[in-house]
Amino acid sequence: MKPFSFLLFSFALSFAPLHSEEVKPNVLMISIDDLNDWTGFLGGYPEVHTPHLDELARQGRIFSNAHCAIPVCSSSRVSVMSGLPATTHGSYEIGPAYQELPALEEVPTLQRYFKDHGYVTLSGGKVLHHGFRGRIADDIDVDLGGRKKTRPKEMIHLPKGWSKAWDWGQFPKNDTEMGDHQLALSAAEVLEKDFDQPFFLSVGFFRPHVPLYAPPKWFDLYDVDTLPLPKSPESDLADLPMNFRTINDYALAPTHAKVLETGSQRGLTQAYLASISFVDHCVGIVLDALEKSPHADNTVIVLWSDHGFHLGEKHHWAKRTLWEESTRVPLLFAGPGIDPGETCVEPASLIDIFPTLVELCELPKNSLLEGISLVPQLEDPKTPREHPAITSSYFGNHAIRTRDWRYIRYADGAEELYDHRVDPDEFTNLAKDPEHEVIKQRLAKWLPKNAAPEFKPVRQREQVRGGVIPATE
Ligand SMILES: [Ca+2]
Ligand SMILES: [Ca+2]
């Protein structure tokens, strides 16, 4: 891996292909950390300000029913980069890095697959949670830099007893001090260059992951006193099994009760929105650079978030659940051959990104992949798809999401069923309703069989033995 300062822009065109149609499209993959459906184009929070994401959505194809394979950072990203679900690779929680998972020993990352087929690979920011290290370090030719933490000297709001990861506030003063902004500029600089091979550029932004720090001007977009809060009626909990209701007792996120007790709900919601608008601005820098570059007409863009995020819905904060707020993600494709406009409402999974890019770039089929190419839906968004999006969280718990339904089965047999045609907030659990037995059985057929056991790296097993909870945000 070469650091950015040694960028070999001797990449200058050393040969010209004989026929232009032989030139493979470049790939620009933008990932955003912990962004739920609060974007203009998905409508999860109508007042949100995301002009650049919305413009990209207008130019490309929106998958409005896209879901992560696992609702937590590292495992979700391992799934995207391997094209495999947790039930195959065995990472159901934060913990193992890609290169530590025995099931992935012979499985090339998405970047490696493109590199092996003639691409130069560049990557910056949070793409794989643990970075490209060890045996996969060489998958990336040019490193644009990793995590740049920007933290104030003292916590800004942090209520007593909360994890330091969960502070929020107006910091720093200027965008230029933010790691994401610097990453956007590095990516923009790269896009100005000429390459003698097609490129695969991965850009991974950190916001709106906690801590929710962003410069003041992004907070100014949202009035903390009047901004609408998500719907989280107490009555919603009555028909829920206990399974994931207490999940934040062992993760770092605060409980909803603590958020309310400390009067933090409005501040956290404003900070999440500010972070989204800030990251939207960073995405805009990269997209503007691409548009002005020599690669504008020959670059496939894919943009996704690694999982969703609760801000109080079902009295939960953050991720890890199998409900819509945790699993639903923005997923957009744009570029050559993709007609702008219509939204696809068929289910899609983040593990579909790998086979979709392989097909769009006409690389040889990768038989290891378990996702399904979305090219039929890129060509015609009305193309029906039978296969649901399947999300797993912790061993043995799965959600099946079709166009109209969500069915959840927990390891202990507890169930939930929601009809999205009439209940997009998933307020009414129909799992015990005899009238829905048939649809429930039909959905249950998709539950993964022979799921790989959870793999925990040695360091994590030791932490658990020592009584330390391994989860980190
Ligand atoms: Ca994440
Ligand atoms: Ca309910």
Side-chain angles (χ1 to χ4, degrees):
M1 210 160 27
K2 296 180 183 72
F4 188 40
S5 53
F6 294 108
L7 273 182
L8 292 185
F9 291 120
S10 59
F11 285 147
L13 291 162
S14 59
F15 72 94
L18 291 175
H19 305 289
S20 58
E21 60 265 32
E22 288 178 12
V23 180
K24 296 267 186 217
N26 307 300
V27 179
L28 169 60
M29 187 174 84
I30 300 176
S31 55
I32 301 178
D33 205 354
D34 288 21
L35 174 62
N36 60 13
D37 62 1
W38 289 17
T39 63
F41 68 91
L42 286 180
Y45 190 93
E47 292 80 3
V48 72
H49 185 76
T50 54
H52 298 99
L53 291 167
D54 299 345
E55 180 53 33
L56 179 63
R58 270 191 291 278
Q59 291 169 17
R61 174 80 64 243
I62 303 167
F63 286 88
S64 66
N65 189 12
H67 301 271
C68 60
I70 308 118
V72 74
C73 304
S74 71
S75 318
S76 173
R77 288 156 186 270
V78 163
S79 282
V80 173
M81 254 54 83
S82 65
L84 299 171
T87 43
T88 297
H89 62 60
S91 169
Y92 296 85
E93 235 294 5
I94 294 273
Y98 191 109
Q99 63 274 15
E100 291 173 313
L101 287 160
L104 298 184
E105 223 158 84
E106 304 290 329
V107 177
T109 63
L110 173 59
Q111 287 78 358
R112 164 56 69 174
Y113 198 74
F114 273 74
K115 179 172 168 163
D116 285 349
H117 291 91
Y119 279 67
V120 58
T121 55
L122 306 95
S123 181
K126 182 170 169 181
V127 178
L128 275 173
H129 182 84
H130 298 89
F132 288 83
R133 302 215 171 87
R135 67 172 178 82
I136 60 170
D138 191 39
D139 294 5
I140 303 301
D141 295 310
V142 182
D143 180 6
L144 305 190
R147 182 169 214 139
K148 295 185 183 88
K149 283 189 181 173
T150 316
R151 298 277 173 101
K153 284 201 184 85
E154 286 176 17
M155 297 289 117
I156 298 175
H157 284 104
L158 198 71
K160 209 170 161 219
W162 283 31
S163 160
K164 281 185 182 175
W166 268 79
D167 195 20
W168 73 95
Q170 304 186 15
F171 174 85
K173 272 209 175 75
N174 300 304
D175 289 346
T176 49
E177 298 166 73
M178 297 288 286
D180 278 341
H181 193 265
Q182 292 156 15
L183 172 64
L185 294 180
S186 299
E189 197 181 327
V190 158
L191 287 166
E192 288 171 10
K193 312 291 180 189
D194 286 327
F195 295 83
D196 63 0
Q197 291 163 271
F199 64 78
F200 191 113
L201 170 59
S202 314
V203 182
F205 292 115
F206 295 100
R207 288 290 178 279
H209 194 289
V210 296
L212 296 167
Y213 297 134
K217 70 177 178 195
W218 304 108
F219 281 76
D220 293 345
L221 293 173
Y222 306 97
D223 182 350
V224 71
D225 297 320
T226 60
L227 56 83
L229 295 171
K231 288 180 261 181
S232 53
E234 181 87 32
S235 57
D236 184 16
L237 306 182
D239 57 4
L240 291 182
M242 280 311 289
N243 305 66
F244 280 11
R245 278 177 58 181
T246 54
I247 206 165
N248 277 356
D249 294 353
Y250 48 96
L252 288 180
T255 62
H256 189 55
K258 277 271 175 231
V259 171
L260 296 185
E261 252 170 61
T262 55
S264 310
Q265 188 173 15
R266 290 195 157 273
L268 283 170
T269 307
Q270 183 197 28
Y272 187 70
L273 288 163
S275 299
I276 291 172
S277 292
F278 161 70
V279 89
D280 173 82
H281 172 69
C282 296
V283 169
I285 291 172
V286 179
L287 295 179
D288 285 351
L290 178 64
E291 203 174 311
K292 291 183 186 121
S293 79
H295 316 295
D297 297 330
N298 193 35
T299 300
V300 170
I301 304 169
V302 55
L303 180 141
W304 52 278
S305 162
D306 58 355
H307 49 75
F309 204 77
H310 287 249
L311 289 99
E313 299 93 340
K314 292 197 162 21
H315 290 211
H316 180 77
W317 285 77
K319 42 217 181 191
R320 293 187 166 86
T321 74
L322 288 170
W323 297 309
E324 186 86 343
E325 283 79 12
S326 266
T327 74
R328 189 181 185 208
V329 290
L331 175 62
L332 294 175
F333 286 86
I338 298 168
D339 287 335
E342 250 183 289
T343 297
C344 178
V345 299
E346 296 294 325
S349 166
L350 292 183
I351 63 169
D352 302 332
I353 290 174
F354 198 149
T356 304
L357 291 176
V358 164
E359 190 174 349
L360 282 174
C361 298
E362 298 181 359
L363 304 192
K365 213 169 170 185
N366 177 350
S367 59
L368 296 173
L369 302 177
E370 292 183 37
I372 299 168
S373 169
L374 299 169
V375 168
Q377 285 76 25
L378 289 174
E379 288 170 352
D380 177 1
K382 290 200 171 65
T383 310
R385 159 163 158 154
E386 197 196 353
H387 203 287
I390 302 173
T391 306
S392 305
S393 184
Y394 300 96
F395 181 79
N397 309 287
H398 310 287
I400 308 299
R401 183 70 161 87
T402 63
R403 200 180 58 192
D404 298 333
W405 299 91
R406 172 180 300 274
Y407 171 64
I408 302 174
R409 167 91 64 88
Y410 296 97
D412 65 359
E415 295 171 305
E416 293 171 47
L417 177 69
Y418 300 101
D419 183 349
H420 270 264
R421 294 168 300 183
V422 294
D423 184 18
D425 294 306
E426 301 184 341
F427 285 148
T428 307
N429 178 7
L430 301 166
K432 290 194 172 137
D433 176 4
E435 281 186 22
H436 288 89
E437 192 56 30
V438 174
I439 180 69
K440 210 172 73 178
Q441 293 303 329
R442 207 155 73 210
L443 294 164
K445 288 198 177 116
W446 292 101
L447 289 168
K449 296 166 189 80
N450 308 316
E454 181 166 15
F455 175 78
K456 289 184 176 169
V458 175
R459 55 186 156 76
Q460 195 182 356
R461 288 197 290 262
E462 281 170 355
Q463 280 176 330
V464 172
R465 273 203 296 275
V468 180
I469 293 165
T472 60
E473 293 293 319

